[in-house]
Amino acid sequence: MSCSTTGARDPVTSALQIIIGKRLRLDIAQIVTWKTSQISKHEPRVRYTASFAGYGFYGDVITESEKYRWMGPKRYDYAGTKVFLRHRSYEAEVAFMKVEHEKTDTQANGRKLKTFWGLPKDPKRVPCCVNCHICNTNQTSDSHQESKLVTVKGRFLSIGAAVISCRNEKAPDGLVADAHLSDGFLHLILIKDCPRAFYLWHLMQLARKGGSPLDFDFVEHYKTTTFAFTSFGEESVWNVDGEVLLAHKLSAQVFRGLVNVFASGPQT
């Protein structure tokens, strides 16, 4: 949260933001757990996330890391390595309202020029920054955005919903480099089952400044305001802001600029 809102994970920087009184709005996503298992009959439960909710790889890592709390922060690296080597995929279905992107420049033949490995040579990104014009756009202007219901079913290594870019030391640009603090969208990332080597390459792109982790054939990236998830397996664990959430069936909805925080925005 600190890296994505102030540009650094530093207590002095955050303290100065509070003293100066700089504020910005922050999107919040509401997550409703409808079923914790295939046969559960619990009442729906509500959680909120300000950064990220993830399933599959992300849920497995947070579950595995709980066994090694005595290791401190290093437990995430250890758990992540174990889960990566395990390379499990899960059968699930995701239904969401897909927001149609504005038209972008393309090559003369109407297609994006790609390299040998399928990565675009010149990806168009508009990252969030100080005094971000996208975040400061009047909310009523979003009404022109077109959306349609899309359902994706299959085997996934991971499913992620990013409220913000989620910048950190291991992912300098964040999980989604062009996610904004207050644009009213969730960035839905669907990573389909693929060979372990390909998934490793995706993770390596995440760890590289200026990388392209979303530009693979097995990765689907959508902007949405709401989505619903259903698992077809016996186990279903989500990672919600670093906390374990058992959810066989859930839905999520983003609320634009729901809270104010003392920050001025990340530096690009």
Side-chain angles (χ1 to χ4, degrees):
M1 291 297 299
S2 180
C3 287
S4 297
T5 56
T6 68
R9 188 161 69 174
D10 174 63
V12 175
T13 299
S14 295
L16 288 173
Q17 298 282 0
I18 297 172
I19 294 170
I20 296 172
K22 291 286 186 178
R23 298 188 183 189
L24 52 77
R25 295 181 303 161
L26 193 66
D27 290 344
I28 299 293
Q30 181 191 68
I31 297 178
V32 181
T33 303
W34 299 100
K35 296 179 67 175
T36 57
S37 66
Q38 289 181 330
I39 59 175
S40 67
K41 297 181 180 179
H42 294 290
E43 293 292 326
R45 298 178 180 179
V46 179
R47 293 274 289 272
Y48 293 89
T49 173
S51 61
F52 181 77
Y55 169 78
F57 177 82
Y58 303 106
D60 290 347
V61 169
I62 200 66
T63 301
E64 187 72 22
S65 68
E66 288 295 309
K67 305 175 185 177
Y68 307 101
R69 281 190 167 271
W70 55 271
M71 295 178 65
K74 291 183 179 180
R75 69 183 184 271
Y76 297 115
D77 294 331
Y78 180 70
T81 301
K82 290 186 65 176
V83 172
F84 169 77
L85 293 175
R86 197 179 301 159
H87 198 64
R88 294 182 62 181
S89 60
Y90 299 89
E91 188 80 19
E93 178 181 279
V94 183
F96 56 95
M97 297 302 298
K98 178 185 176 182
V99 177
E100 297 296 338
H101 294 275
E102 296 180 0
K103 293 183 180 180
T104 56
D105 295 333
T106 56
Q107 302 297 324
N109 61 2
R111 296 179 301 173
K112 285 194 299 183
L113 186 62
K114 294 188 176 183
T115 64
F116 177 78
W117 290 103
L119 300 179
K121 289 185 176 180
D122 185 24
K124 302 297 182 181
R125 292 178 178 176
V126 184
C128 195
C129 58
V130 175
N131 298 321
C132 178
H133 72 281
I134 293 178
C135 293
N136 292 331
T137 301
N138 194 306
Q139 295 189 31
T140 58
S141 65
D142 294 338
S143 58
H144 71 279
Q145 293 277 5
E146 296 183 1
S147 60
K148 63 178 180 179
L149 180 63
V150 176
T151 301
V152 180
K153 181 180 178 181
R155 295 199 68 85
F156 301 95
L157 287 172
S158 67
I159 296 173
V163 184
I164 60 178
S165 62
C166 302
R167 300 180 183 185
N168 57 76
E169 290 84 353
K170 290 182 172 59
D173 291 334
L175 295 174
V176 184
D178 56 350
H180 288 257
L181 297 174
S182 182
D183 59 359
F185 293 115
L186 286 169
H187 286 258
L188 193 60
I189 308 166
L190 310 179
I191 301 184
K192 297 181 177 180
D193 196 7
C194 66
R196 185 183 285 107
F198 284 18
Y199 191 52
L200 175 61
W201 193 25
H202 160 75
L203 296 177
M204 291 173 63
Q205 289 292 323
L206 272 176
R208 186 171 69 88
K209 183 71 174 178
S212 302
L214 304 181
D215 295 312
F216 292 92
D217 291 338
F218 57 87
V219 179
E220 297 182 7
H221 172 213
Y222 303 98
K223 287 173 63 176
T224 184
T225 56
T226 181
F227 74 90
F229 163 86
T230 303
S231 170
F232 295 109
E234 296 181 0
E235 300 178 7
S236 186
V237 181
W238 279 74
N239 176 347
V240 180
D241 280 354
E243 301 293 336
V244 175
L245 176 66
L246 299 178
H248 187 268
K249 185 175 182 179
L250 63 75
S251 60
Q253 179 181 2
V254 67
F255 295 93
R256 184 176 186 184
L258 187 63
V259 300
N260 289 309
V261 295
F262 285 105
S264 60
Q267 297 287 350
T268 56

